[in-house]
Amino acid sequence: VHAVTDWASAAIDWRLFLPESWDDAKTADEQIASGIVRQRARCAIPDEVRHREKWRLALDMLGAAAR
């Protein structure tokens, strides 16, 4: 979410979009899941960060901005 004027733009909120392919909970294959866990660890992605659709992330940010 950005605040925009005629002269400038500034981010007021942003969220990490994590594709479904980076969410080990979205696969039933244990070998693929363990690879995803290693990949997430290398990138320091916390375990609580999971795949959420972009439209859901947008609604979360708009709700937070409206408060």
Side-chain angles (χ1 to χ4, degrees):
V1 176
H2 285 252
V4 179
T5 69
D6 291 338
W7 304 278
S9 171
I12 57 173
D13 196 351
W14 63 277
R15 308 284 168 98
L16 174 64
F17 171 71
L18 193 64
E20 193 170 338
S21 62
W22 279 61
D23 191 342
D24 57 293
K26 298 287 184 177
T27 183
D29 186 316
E30 288 185 30
Q31 189 172 0
I32 293 173
S34 67
I36 294 170
V37 169
R38 287 192 303 275
Q39 181 177 359
R40 291 171 58 101
R42 282 194 312 269
C43 296
I45 298 173
D47 193 48
E48 63 271 4
V49 176
R50 296 289 166 184
H51 168 73
R52 285 182 51 87
E53 296 87 353
K54 288 182 180 181
W55 66 269
R56 291 185 190 273
L57 292 173
L59 287 179
D60 291 346
M61 288 185 285
L62 291 172
R67 287 187 217 136

